[in-house]
Amino acid sequence: MNQKEKILGRLPGDLSKEGLIARIIRVDQAGEYGAKRIYEGQLSVLSGTKDEPVLREMADTEVVHLDTFNKIMVERRVRPTLLAPLWHVAGFALGAGTALMGREAAMACTVAVEEVIEEHYSHQAAQLASEEEPEILEIIERFRKDEAEHKETALLEGAENAPGYPFLASAVKSCSRVAIWLSERI
């Protein structure tokens, strides 16, 4: 029982610890699945270019993240989001679409998505700090660092040189935040 529960109990509308953990696992698995699909879309366009190695390296990291959350999902008996078929298509379309706009736009997409995910993981880490879930907290902290590295890599690869970078980044961030909100709940 955390300090808030000891003093006040959970407030009306608060998730139980089990509900919070299930929500975190569900949304993180969905996010890592979406990230995998974004890189698959980017690679469908940029395969064979000088950008392929850096994209493959980032994509491989996302597969490790996804495999980890898939395993935890089974262990904890957490259902996946019902929106997985949508993220299958939307992730690939976002990756391929930005790659078709050029390598810088693909990198801008990566910066925007990873920035939102980095913030999301930081928020989750704060939530988990009082929930006595060291295993999940450690995974989230480790994955947050990986996402920050992807963001920095994409910036070094010229993301900010993408045509309409501020608009593109803002649009991708908004879509990512909506996807997170929906995946937590559906």
Side-chain angles (χ1 to χ4, degrees):
M1 183 174 275
N2 68 33
Q3 191 63 22
K4 181 171 79 172
E5 288 173 313
K6 289 177 186 172
I7 296 170
L8 299 172
R10 289 211 184 254
L11 298 175
D14 284 353
L15 290 173
S16 66
K17 176 183 175 179
E18 295 76 22
L20 174 65
I21 299 305
R23 178 179 274 190
I24 286 171
I25 293 167
R26 179 176 18 270
V27 70
D28 290 353
Q29 187 274 347
E32 297 301 347
Y33 179 68
K36 175 182 176 271
R37 292 296 291 159
I38 290 169
Y39 284 114
E40 288 172 350
Q42 290 175 342
L43 285 164
S44 75
V45 174
L46 296 172
S47 186
T49 69
K50 69 178 183 128
D51 299 305
E52 182 177 359
V54 72
L55 290 171
R56 284 221 185 271
E57 184 177 327
M58 291 188 287
D60 289 346
T61 303
E62 301 300 347
V63 169
V64 169
H65 294 182
L66 177 59
D67 289 346
T68 300
F69 278 113
N70 283 341
K71 180 180 173 225
I72 293 169
M73 200 171 238
V74 171
E75 290 170 354
R76 299 280 185 118
R77 296 180 177 220
V78 174
R79 72 163 175 81
T81 178
L82 299 176
L83 298 173
L86 178 60
W87 302 153
H88 179 80
V89 173
F92 188 89
L94 179 61
T98 55
L100 286 168
M101 294 168 60
R103 68 175 301 281
E104 292 88 1
M107 295 298 169
C109 174
T110 297
V111 168
V113 169
E114 300 297 19
E115 189 171 301
V116 170
I117 298 305
E118 187 180 1
E119 292 168 2
H120 174 69
Y121 277 156
S122 291
H123 176 73
Q124 285 183 334
Q127 289 179 299
L128 287 170
S130 64
E131 294 296 346
E132 299 175 15
E133 285 287 344
E135 176 193 6
I136 295 175
L137 178 59
E138 185 275 325
I139 290 167
I140 286 171
E141 288 289 2
R142 185 167 25 105
F143 290 0
R144 185 189 59 74
K145 289 176 186 168
D146 291 342
E147 308 302 359
E149 286 177 19
H150 292 174
K151 179 181 80 175
E152 292 305 317
T153 298
L155 285 168
L156 291 172
E157 292 292 328
E160 294 172 311
N161 296 326
Y165 175 77
F167 175 75
L168 178 60
S170 179
V172 171
K173 285 179 186 180
S174 294
C175 290
S176 297
R177 288 183 181 112
V178 168
I180 288 169
W181 190 88
L182 290 170
S183 292
E184 285 178 332
R185 289 158 177 82
I186 299 174

